[in-house]
Amino acid sequence: MGGPADHELMARVARGDGQAFSLLSRRHVRAALSLARRIGGNDAVAEEIVQEAFLRVWIHAPRWRPDAAFRTWLYRIVVNLCLNERRRAPVLPLAAAGDPADPAPGPDTELAAQERDRVVATAIDALPARQRAAIVLTYQDGLSNAEAADVLDTSVSGVETLLVRAKRTLRAALAAYA
Amino acid sequence: MDIDRELELALRRVTEPTRGAEEAAAGRVLARLESSALPSQKRRLFAAWWPSALLDLNFMPAWPRVTALACGTALGVLVGLSSLGSRIATDLDLWHRASVDDAGASIFDPDSVTGLRP
């Protein structure tokens, strides 16, 4: 990652520097969108959530303290907005099913893998919101359990419990398919 | 293949970001953020700021103790101003006002043998 570090940019954002804010949002928007899409399960809502999250970053920047990484704070805002959104208006997971299987003839193993992925994706979307968030933060964003705990505002053992429960459900779904 | 390993592989594939769609969505979000005027920022008020500054220095006041100290101080000042302390001491016969005779007697007692005053 080139350019100034996140905390330097945040110090400038706290002084009202719009250019630093633009740089910061360009740096993190893709990861934030990806996270919001997986947890929210809806592309259009994910865009709104990420926009709202960045606006909150701008508004609260003067109060931000670099106790934790900026990314962790941003993810926490995104996750909380997603959970609030899901609580308010549960949406049908349109993207959950993933892309339809390629109808062109292909190796059986590849088709089977695609089908397994579809089953797992559907099962992820059916998980309770916090379990889904733990899975996405850990696998998609590669966060450690401690970082995921910061984002989800829980303890490391709390994240481990969420992951164990989520994997148990996913394993059962996969076993049922097999 | 072991089902745990199968699940791990599927999770990695499923959670892999989809590049194309995300680029377009990121572009839309950034365009919206940059096209509209940013709202005003919430500044830290002095009242909200100074306890955390003290906390950084490990000087965070323990408010119940500060309150107890202030109450104790105010009570002490009131008791002092009302002369309540001296009245209670008088009532309980805790002190004697020294008289001139008393003082002379203690210093200039006649000698027990000669009867002379020093």
Side-chain angles (χ1 to χ4, degrees), chain A residues 71-72 75-76 79 130-167, chain B residues 8 11-12:
Chain A
R71 186 179 70 152
T72 307
Y75 282 9
R76 181 186 280 200
V79 167
R130 284 175 70 78
Q131 288 182 25
R132 188 171 55 253
I135 286 282
V136 172
L137 288 168
T138 311
Y139 283 90
Q140 179 175 295
D141 294 290
L143 262 60
S144 67
N145 285 1
E147 288 172 317
D150 266 352
V151 171
L152 292 171
D153 200 17
T154 184
S155 61
V156 173
S157 58
V159 169
E160 287 167 354
T161 307
L162 288 171
L163 286 174
V164 165
R165 286 181 183 165
K167 282 186 184 177
Chain B
E8 284 294 318
L11 276 171
R12 287 183 202 292

Side-chain angles (χ1 to χ4, degrees), chain A residues 101-113:
Chain A
D102 188 354
D108 287 349
T109 50
E110 197 175 325
L111 283 174

